[in-house]
Amino acid sequence: MTAAAKPLLVEEEAVATKPRTGAHVLVDAIAAQGTELVFGYPGGAIMPVYDALPGSALRHILCRHEQACAFAAAGYGRMTGKPGVCLATSGPGATNLVTGIADAFMDSVPMVAITGQVAQPIMGTDAFQEIDTFGITMPIVKHSYIVRAVSDIPSVVAEAFQIAGTGRPGPVLIDLPKDVQQAMCDMPPTVLDAPAPLPLDEEGLRRAEAAVSVAERPLFYLGGGITRAGATEAVRRMVERSGIPAVCTLHGNGVLPTGHEQLLGMVGMHGAQAANHAVQQCDLLINIGGRFDDRATGRLDGFAPHASVVHFDCDRSEVSKLRHADVSVGGSLKHAVKSFRPEAQAIAPWLGEVYEKRRATPHRYDAPGEGVYAPALLKELSEKAGKRFVAVPDVGQHQMWTAQHCEFSRPEAHLTSGGLGSMGFSLPTAIGAQLAEPDAVVVSISGDGGIMMNIQELATLRRYGIPLKVVVIDNARLGMVRQWQELFFDGNFSEVDLSDNPDFARVAEAFGIEALTVSQRSEVTPGIERLLAAEGPILMHVVIDPAENVWPLVPPGHANHQMMEG
């Protein structure tokens, strides 16, 4: 191989090594990337790797379903910013990972998924548990490998981790045939140098600053890319220095802490009225790390109708994909924000307008009756948990209530399935987050529909003594679907009745998990206190009114100012 063709690898100092199996080489290569934790489930085609795990530097967490392995690995990645790792066998093991891989891809979460594959001589013969994992996952990964030679394992692993964690993060797949795992190799682990940062877009920055200087109604639009870029503190300092108000997307929650004087709230379908009002009235929208998702914009041709757009994003494919950017700033988001010096002029009338709108449209918690009002419970829970609070909602009404009403001190305090909207997300993702940050108060917040999709992971909590708090908000319905059927399908409630749910507290106890049930408002505060005081895993089953809806709501096909307020 010529010098020009040589891969950009920085190998450890040459050491005398004796031949080892490819599986042992793989395990050592993973550990060399700084990873200590992997989530997996064994099977025939990945069995050599499991033979190599005992005595290695890796701690393996046995989840009870491969989908949970992928979600847990992504939970680790969401929490740390480093690639989480999941392992599965070929065939159904690999296909069970697909939802979790897709979820990580949609939300730009770093992950390395490693799947066993049948031996190369029988690939393509419809062998037992053979499936084209490479082909199936191609649309939902940043990159894929089928490892054909055992000597390639160290470089493939190093490249996979670098690709997963740099630029716009995402999942990478390594498909590993069984004969490669069993072959002998004396290659040492490989570590890649950190890539050079993308060059600073000086021209884009100057044009962005010029746009701010003439704007009368500027507004920051803070997206999830800020967290993925490790740019939270830089953005906070820049926003505060500018004096310009801000809204956030679902994934931008926590970039500015809840209650920050410049934050108008979350924008979009279930956003704050003040935030949606500001977007619709601004004359300059400064998008930092957002992708103009349809749930945030509402009807696109009615979104921010008076605004020019400045778009900061490391991924050029996102710029002008949905909304034309009058000015774009590429390159490293963190470095760009640190160099951005917006100087707003004469915006006092604008500040008065948007802050008055925020003051006049607060959330209300005075719901009538003696039953549990979920928004009030979630608000109290986050307040009592304090700055160590991390919410991991599932998907549905409770997900929106969590985003609207919980207090977030940082973006990592709100881990949510935004792009894919995967039910079953919460419990395994929260396991990954809790293991990534043992001192955090991690709370899995599920609905009665979502919890049933990965409820087997209560066994994982019990096995490892993971001190996760699990809240199941039970309205005996598929709540968000029921709400839409009520509002947009003439009340034709089709297949949303879950009134035959089990007693979730008793189910948890059967798994060996402490549990309690809260069904009255008077029980909320003592229930939360017991939940937070528990030293081990605990589940709180919360019974609420099946007719409760999420408000406000922008109906589908409408602009964000056309909000239903219930």
Side-chain angles (χ1 to χ4, degrees):
M1 183 179 288
T2 67
K6 192 172 182 179
L8 299 176
L9 305 177
V10 178
E11 295 192 358
E12 294 181 348
E13 224 175 276
V15 292
T17 58
K18 63 180 181 179
R20 298 160 297 150
T21 67
H24 285 90
V25 172
L26 175 79
V27 168
D28 290 347
I30 294 170
Q33 310 310 313
T35 296
E36 299 176 351
L37 195 65
V38 298
F39 303 87
Y41 201 96
I46 196 74
M47 206 172 293
V49 173
Y50 276 82
D51 185 59
L53 281 170
S56 74
L58 300 179
R59 181 189 180 196
H60 180 274
I61 301 297
L62 176 68
C63 298
R64 299 306 177 93
H65 192 289
E66 291 91 353
Q67 184 186 103
C69 298
F71 280 140
Y76 179 93
R78 289 171 188 264
M79 205 68 186
T80 65
K82 300 186 297 184
V85 179
C86 54
L87 305 173
T89 193
S90 62
T95 57
N96 282 343
L97 290 179
V98 167
T99 298
I101 294 172
D103 192 87
F105 182 75
M106 292 286 285
D107 285 350
S108 303
V109 177
M111 176 200 287
V112 174
I114 301 170
T115 51
Q117 184 54 274
V118 300
Q120 292 181 89
I122 58 171
M123 286 177 66
T125 68
D126 295 327
F128 176 67
Q129 291 191 334
E130 182 191 0
I131 201 75
D132 181 7
T133 309
F134 184 93
I136 286 172
T137 58
M138 188 174 289
I140 54 169
V141 295
K142 280 188 74 177
H143 196 63
S144 301
Y145 299 89
I146 299 177
V147 183
R148 299 289 188 175
V150 65
S151 58
D152 290 339
I153 291 175
S155 61
V156 164
V157 171
E159 288 177 358
F161 272 79
Q162 186 179 85
I163 292 168
T166 57
R168 181 176 180 172
V172 175
L173 174 79
I174 301 175
D175 200 32
L176 196 60
K178 192 170 184 179
D179 58 315
V180 177
Q181 298 173 49
Q182 294 171 319
M184 304 304 290
C185 180
D186 60 1
M187 293 285 288
T190 297
V191 180
L192 282 169
D193 274 340
L198 296 171
L200 196 60
D201 186 351
E202 298 278 3
E203 181 183 353
L205 282 172
R206 301 296 81 80
R207 292 180 63 206
E209 290 167 353
V212 174
S213 70
V214 298
E216 295 180 356
R217 301 187 303 279
L219 184 68
F220 282 115
Y221 179 99
L222 307 178
I226 295 167
T227 313
R228 303 292 181 255
T232 299
E233 290 305 319
V235 168
R236 287 181 177 182
R237 288 192 294 270
M238 182 272 295
V239 170
E240 289 170 353
R241 188 170 58 242
S242 75
I244 296 170
V247 300
C248 67
T249 67
L250 180 68
H251 280 306
N253 256 326
V255 171
L256 294 183
T258 304
H260 191 283
E261 63 180 358
Q262 289 169 257
L263 180 63
L264 302 174
M266 183 177 73
V267 71
M269 178 174 282
H270 293 290
Q273 293 182 55
N276 280 343
H277 169 83
V279 169
Q280 296 305 98
Q281 298 303 318
C282 71
D283 65 358
L284 180 67
L285 191 63
I286 310 161
N287 179 347
I288 304 181
R291 59 187 183 90
F292 290 127
D293 176 78
D294 60 285
R295 289 298 174 102
T297 66
R299 196 183 76 240
L300 193 60
D301 62 5
F303 175 73
H306 312 296
S308 298
V309 171
V310 171
H311 195 164
F312 286 72
D313 207 299
C314 73
D315 185 351
R316 283 289 185 181
S317 69
E318 289 295 344
V319 176
S320 296
K321 183 176 82 174
L322 294 169
R323 175 62 184 261
H324 171 72
D326 300 275
V327 178
S328 65
V329 183
S332 163
L333 191 65
K334 186 174 183 179
H335 293 155
V337 167
K338 284 183 174 181
S339 301
F340 187 39
R341 295 290 183 270
E343 299 289 344
Q345 308 292 326
I347 63 171
W350 171 239
L351 298 180
E353 175 186 338
V354 295
Y355 293 151
E356 171 57 26
K357 183 70 172 179
R358 182 180 62 187
R359 187 202 64 77
T361 55
H363 289 299
R364 294 183 59 178
Y365 298 98
D366 55 345
E370 298 302 316
V372 177
Y373 184 50
L377 179 145
L378 292 168
K379 177 175 166 47
E380 181 178 349
L381 172 60
S382 67
E383 290 172 345
K384 281 187 161 59
K387 290 187 176 181
R388 295 190 299 134
F389 174 70
V390 175
V392 188
D394 212 274
V395 171
Q397 289 180 312
H398 64 280
Q399 180 188 28
M400 294 299 102
W401 285 327
T402 298
Q404 291 173 329
H405 302 287
C406 286
E407 296 191 357
F408 306 114
S409 62
R410 53 183 176 138
E412 293 83 5
H414 181 227
L415 310 182
T416 192
S417 177
L420 195 63
S422 312
M423 290 179 69
F425 169 90
S426 175
L427 182 53
T429 303
I431 288 172
Q434 185 73 80
L435 290 169
E437 198 168 307
D439 293 334
V441 180
V442 181
V443 185
S444 163
I445 303 169
S446 287
D448 50 316
I451 189 67
M452 292 289 278
M453 293 195 176
N454 271 312
I455 199 167
Q456 75 285 337
E457 297 312 310
L458 292 175
T460 306
L461 291 185
R462 172 63 176 174
R463 168 176 286 223
Y464 299 103
I466 301 168
L468 186 66
K469 323 296 183 186
V470 181
V471 175
V472 178
I473 297 180
D474 179 4
N475 59 7
R477 301 291 186 275
L478 290 173
M480 190 63 85
V481 180
R482 185 210 58 77
Q483 178 171 342
W484 278 50
Q485 288 177 347
E486 175 190 335
L487 298 176
F488 310 123
F489 291 86
D490 298 322
N492 182 25
F493 299 120
S494 174
E495 300 301 326
V496 292
D497 184 353
L498 302 182
S499 57
D500 55 354
N501 279 329
D503 182 329
F504 290 108
R506 292 180 64 187
V507 170
E509 289 167 350
F511 276 97
I513 304 293
E514 181 183 355
L516 67 152
T517 296
V518 170
S519 59
Q520 298 296 314
R521 197 164 303 184
S522 60
E523 300 169 334
V524 167
T525 296
I528 289 173
E529 290 172 349
R530 180 176 166 188
L531 185 82
L532 296 177
E535 294 184 1
I538 182 172
L539 182 145
M540 183 165 76
H541 176 207
V542 180
V543 179
I544 68 167
D545 185 345
E548 201 65 66
N549 286 334
V550 180
W551 304 110
L553 165 66
V554 178
H558 288 65
N560 277 353
H561 67 280
Q562 298 171 307
M563 302 189 76
M564 299 172 65
E565 300 180 30

